[in-house]
Coordinates of all heavy atoms in Angstrom, one line a residue:
I1327 N -12.1 6.3 19.9 CA -12.5 4.9 20.2 C -14.0 4.9 20.5 O -14.8 4.0 19.9 CB -11.7 4.4 21.4 CG1 -10.3 4.1 21.0 CG2 -12.4 3.1 21.9 CD1 -9.3 3.9 22.1
F1328 N -14.5 5.9 21.2 CA -16.0 5.9 21.5 C -16.8 6.1 20.2 O -17.8 5.4 20.0 CB -16.3 7.1 22.4 CG -16.4 6.8 23.8 CD1 -15.3 6.5 24.6 CD2 -17.7 6.7 24.5 CE1 -15.4 6.2 25.9 CE2 -17.7 6.3 25.8 CZ -16.6 6.1 26.5
F1329 N -16.3 7.0 19.3 CA -16.9 7.3 18.1 C -17.1 6.0 17.2 O -18.2 5.7 16.8 CB -16.2 8.3 17.3 CG -16.7 8.7 16.0 CD1 -17.9 9.3 15.9 CD2 -16.1 8.3 14.8 CE1 -18.5 9.6 14.6 CE2 -16.6 8.5 13.6 CZ -17.8 9.2 13.5
F1330 N -16.0 5.3 17.0 CA -16.0 4.1 16.2 C -16.7 2.9 16.8 O -17.3 2.1 16.2 CB -14.6 3.8 15.6 CG -14.1 4.8 14.6 CD1 -13.1 5.6 14.9 CD2 -14.7 4.8 13.4 CE1 -12.6 6.5 13.9 CE2 -14.3 5.7 12.4 CZ -13.3 6.6 12.7
L1331 N -16.5 2.8 18.1 CA -17.2 1.7 18.9 C -18.7 1.9 18.7 O -19.4 0.9 18.5 CB -16.8 1.7 20.3 CG -17.4 0.6 21.2 CD1 -17.0 -0.7 20.7 CD2 -16.9 0.8 22.6
G1332 N -19.2 3.1 18.9 CA -20.6 3.4 18.7 C -21.1 3.0 17.3 O -22.1 2.4 17.1
L1333 N -20.3 3.4 16.3 CA -20.6 3.0 14.9 C -20.7 1.5 14.7 O -21.5 1.0 14.0 CB -19.7 3.7 13.9 CG -19.9 5.2 13.7 CD1 -18.9 5.7 12.6 CD2 -21.3 5.5 13.3
I1334 N -19.8 0.8 15.4 CA -19.8 -0.7 15.3 C -21.1 -1.2 15.9 O -21.7 -2.1 15.4 CB -18.6 -1.3 16.0 CG1 -17.4 -1.3 15.0 CG2 -18.8 -2.7 16.4 CD1 -16.2 -1.9 15.5
L1335 N -21.5 -0.6 17.1 CA -22.8 -1.1 17.7 C -24.0 -0.8 16.8 O -24.9 -1.6 16.7 CB -23.0 -0.5 19.0 CG -22.0 -0.9 20.1 CD1 -22.2 -0.1 21.4 CD2 -22.1 -2.4 20.4
A1336 N -23.9 0.3 16.1 CA -25.0 0.7 15.1 C -24.9 -0.2 13.9 O -26.0 -0.5 13.3 CB -24.9 2.1 14.8
H1337 N -23.7 -0.6 13.5 CA -23.5 -1.4 12.3 C -22.6 -2.6 12.6 O -21.4 -2.6 12.1 CB -23.0 -0.5 11.1 CG -23.7 0.7 10.9 ND1 -24.9 0.7 10.2 CD2 -23.5 2.0 11.4 CE1 -25.3 2.0 10.2 NE2 -24.6 2.7 10.9
P1338 N -23.0 -3.5 13.4 CA -22.1 -4.6 13.8 C -21.8 -5.6 12.6 O -22.7 -6.4 12.2 CB -22.9 -5.3 14.9 CG -24.3 -5.0 14.6 CD -24.4 -3.7 13.9
N1339 N -20.6 -5.5 12.1 CA -20.3 -6.5 11.0 C -18.8 -6.9 11.2 O -18.1 -6.3 11.9 CB -20.5 -5.9 9.6 CG -19.7 -4.6 9.3 OD1 -18.5 -4.6 9.4 ND2 -20.4 -3.5 9.1
I1340 N -18.5 -8.0 10.6 CA -17.1 -8.6 10.8 C -16.0 -7.6 10.3 O -15.0 -7.5 11.0 CB -17.0 -9.9 10.0 CG1 -17.9 -10.9 10.6 CG2 -15.6 -10.4 9.9 CD1 -18.1 -12.2 9.7
A1341 N -16.2 -6.9 9.2 CA -15.1 -6.0 8.7 C -14.9 -4.9 9.7 O -13.7 -4.7 10.1 CB -15.6 -5.4 7.4
F1342 N -15.9 -4.3 10.2 CA -15.8 -3.2 11.1 C -15.1 -3.6 12.4 O -14.2 -3.0 12.9 CB -17.2 -2.6 11.5 CG -17.2 -1.1 11.6 CD1 -18.4 -0.5 11.5 CD2 -16.1 -0.4 11.9 CE1 -18.5 0.9 11.6 CE2 -16.2 1.0 12.0 CZ -17.4 1.6 11.9
I1343 N -15.5 -4.8 13.0 CA -15.0 -5.3 14.2 C -13.5 -5.7 14.1 O -12.7 -5.3 14.9 CB -15.8 -6.5 14.7 CG1 -17.2 -6.0 15.1 CG2 -15.1 -7.3 15.8 CD1 -18.2 -7.1 15.4
C1344 N -13.2 -6.3 13.0 CA -11.8 -6.7 12.7 C -10.9 -5.5 12.6 O -9.8 -5.5 13.1 CB -11.7 -7.6 11.5 SG -12.4 -9.3 11.8
V1345 N -11.3 -4.5 11.8 CA -10.4 -3.4 11.6 C -10.3 -2.6 12.9 O -9.2 -2.2 13.2 CB -11.0 -2.5 10.4 CG1 -10.2 -1.2 10.3 CG2 -10.9 -3.2 9.1
L1346 N -11.4 -2.4 13.6 CA -11.3 -1.6 14.8 C -10.5 -2.3 15.9 O -9.5 -1.7 16.4 CB -12.7 -1.2 15.4 CG -12.6 -0.4 16.7 CD1 -12.2 1.1 16.3 CD2 -14.0 -0.4 17.4
F1347 N -10.8 -3.5 16.2 CA -10.2 -4.2 17.3 C -8.8 -4.9 16.9 O -7.9 -5.0 17.7 CB -11.1 -5.2 18.0 CG -12.2 -4.6 18.7 CD1 -13.5 -4.6 18.1 CD2 -12.0 -3.9 19.9 CE1 -14.6 -4.0 18.8 CE2 -13.1 -3.3 20.6 CZ -14.4 -3.3 20.0
G1348 N -8.7 -5.3 15.7 CA -7.5 -6.0 15.2 C -6.4 -5.1 14.8 O -5.2 -5.4 14.9
L1349 N -6.8 -3.9 14.2 CA -5.8 -3.0 13.7 C -5.8 -1.6 14.4 O -4.7 -1.2 14.9 CB -6.0 -2.8 12.2 CG -5.9 -4.0 11.3 CD1 -6.3 -3.7 9.9 CD2 -4.4 -4.5 11.3
Y1350 N -6.9 -0.9 14.4 CA -6.9 0.5 14.8 C -6.6 0.7 16.3 O -5.7 1.4 16.6 CB -8.3 1.1 14.5 CG -8.4 2.6 14.8 CD1 -7.7 3.5 14.0 CD2 -9.1 3.0 15.9 CE1 -7.7 4.8 14.3 CE2 -9.1 4.4 16.2 CZ -8.4 5.3 15.4 OH -8.5 6.6 15.7
I1351 N -7.3 0.0 17.2 CA -7.1 0.2 18.6 C -5.7 -0.2 19.0 O -5.0 0.6 19.7 CB -8.1 -0.5 19.5 CG1 -9.5 0.2 19.3 CG2 -7.7 -0.6 20.9 CD1 -10.7 -0.3 20.0
P1352 N -5.1 -1.4 18.5 CA -3.7 -1.7 18.9 C -2.7 -0.6 18.4 O -1.8 -0.2 19.1 CB -3.4 -3.0 18.2 CG -4.8 -3.6 18.1 CD -5.7 -2.5 17.8
I1353 N -2.9 -0.1 17.2 CA -1.9 0.9 16.7 C -2.1 2.2 17.3 O -1.2 3.0 17.6 CB -1.9 0.9 15.1 CG1 -0.6 1.6 14.6 CG2 -3.0 1.8 14.6 CD1 0.2 0.7 13.7
L1354 N -3.4 2.5 17.7 CA -3.7 3.8 18.4 C -3.0 3.7 19.8 O -2.4 4.7 20.3 CB -5.2 4.0 18.5 CG -5.6 5.3 19.0 CD1 -5.3 6.4 18.0 CD2 -7.1 5.3 19.3
H1355 N -3.2 2.6 20.5 CA -2.6 2.4 21.8 C -1.0 2.6 21.7 O -0.4 3.2 22.6 CB -2.9 1.0 22.4 CG -2.3 0.8 23.8 ND1 -2.8 1.5 24.9 CD2 -1.3 0.0 24.2 CE1 -2.1 1.1 25.9 NE2 -1.2 0.2 25.5
R1356 N -0.4 2.0 20.7 CA 1.0 2.1 20.5 C 1.4 3.6 20.3 O 2.4 4.1 20.9 CB 1.4 1.4 19.3 CG 2.9 1.5 18.9 CD 3.1 1.1 17.4 NE 4.4 1.6 17.0 CZ 4.6 2.8 16.5 NH1 3.7 3.7 16.4 NH2 5.8 3.2 16.1
Q1357 N 0.6 4.4 19.6 CA 0.8 5.8 19.4 C 0.7 6.5 20.7 O 1.5 7.4 21.0 CB -0.1 6.4 18.4 CG 0.1 7.8 18.0 CD 1.4 8.1 17.3 OE1 1.9 7.2 16.6 NE2 1.9 9.3 17.5
I1358 N -0.3 6.2 21.5 CA -0.5 6.8 22.8 C 0.8 6.6 23.7 O 1.3 7.5 24.4 CB -1.7 6.3 23.5 CG1 -3.0 6.9 22.8 CG2 -1.8 6.6 25.0 CD1 -4.3 6.2 23.2
I1359 N 1.3 5.3 23.7 CA 2.4 5.0 24.6 C 3.6 5.8 24.1 O 4.4 6.4 24.9 CB 2.7 3.5 24.5 CG1 1.6 2.7 25.1 CG2 4.0 3.2 25.2 CD1 1.2 3.0 26.5
R1360 N 3.8 5.9 22.8 CA 5.0 6.7 22.3 C 4.8 8.2 22.6 O 5.8 8.8 23.0 CB 5.0 6.6 20.7 CG 5.4 5.2 20.3 CD 5.8 5.1 18.8 NE 7.0 5.9 18.6 CZ 7.1 7.0 17.9 NH1 6.1 7.5 17.4 NH2 8.3 7.6 17.8
E1361 N 3.6 8.7 22.5 CA 3.4 10.1 22.9 C 3.6 10.4 24.4 O 4.2 11.4 24.8 CB 2.0 10.6 22.4 CG 1.9 10.7 20.9 CD 0.5 11.2 20.5 OE1 -0.3 11.7 21.3 OE2 0.3 11.1 19.2
E1362 N 3.1 9.4 25.2 CA 3.3 9.6 26.6 C 4.8 9.5 27.0 O 5.2 10.2 27.9 CB 2.5 8.5 27.4 CG 1.0 8.9 27.3 CD 0.1 8.0 28.2 OE1 0.6 7.0 28.7 OE2 -1.0 8.3 28.4
D1363 N 5.5 8.6 26.4 CA 7.0 8.6 26.6 C 7.6 9.9 26.3 O 8.5 10.4 27.1 CB 7.7 7.5 25.8 CG 7.3 6.1 26.3 OD1 6.9 5.9 27.4 OD2 7.6 5.1 25.5
F1364 N 7.3 10.5 25.2 CA 7.8 11.9 24.9 C 7.4 12.9 26.0 O 8.2 13.7 26.4 CB 7.3 12.3 23.5 CG 7.6 13.7 23.2 CD1 8.9 14.2 22.9 CD2 6.6 14.7 23.3 CE1 9.2 15.5 22.7 CE2 6.9 16.0 23.1 CZ 8.1 16.5 22.8

């Protein structure tokens, strides 16, 4: 998250923001919850 958030700040564009916040972070959070349950 830090890595890609930093890249977004360096290259702030709609595509990057939508993919990171709309897709990547939610699915990553879901994966974290699944791993923590295990």
Side-chain angles (χ1 to χ4, degrees):
I1327 292 168
F1328 265 77
F1329 177 72
F1330 287 113
L1331 182 60
L1333 286 182
I1334 277 183
L1335 292 175
H1337 308 279
N1339 60 60
I1340 292 169
F1342 218 160
I1343 291 168
C1344 288
V1345 173
L1346 182 71
F1347 293 105
L1349 296 172
Y1350 184 72
I1351 289 177
I1353 200 120
L1354 190 68
H1355 180 72
R1356 175 200 165 275
Q1357 183 67 25
I1358 288 168
I1359 299 300
R1360 291 192 69 249
E1361 288 182 15
E1362 287 188 349
D1363 286 345
F1364 169 75

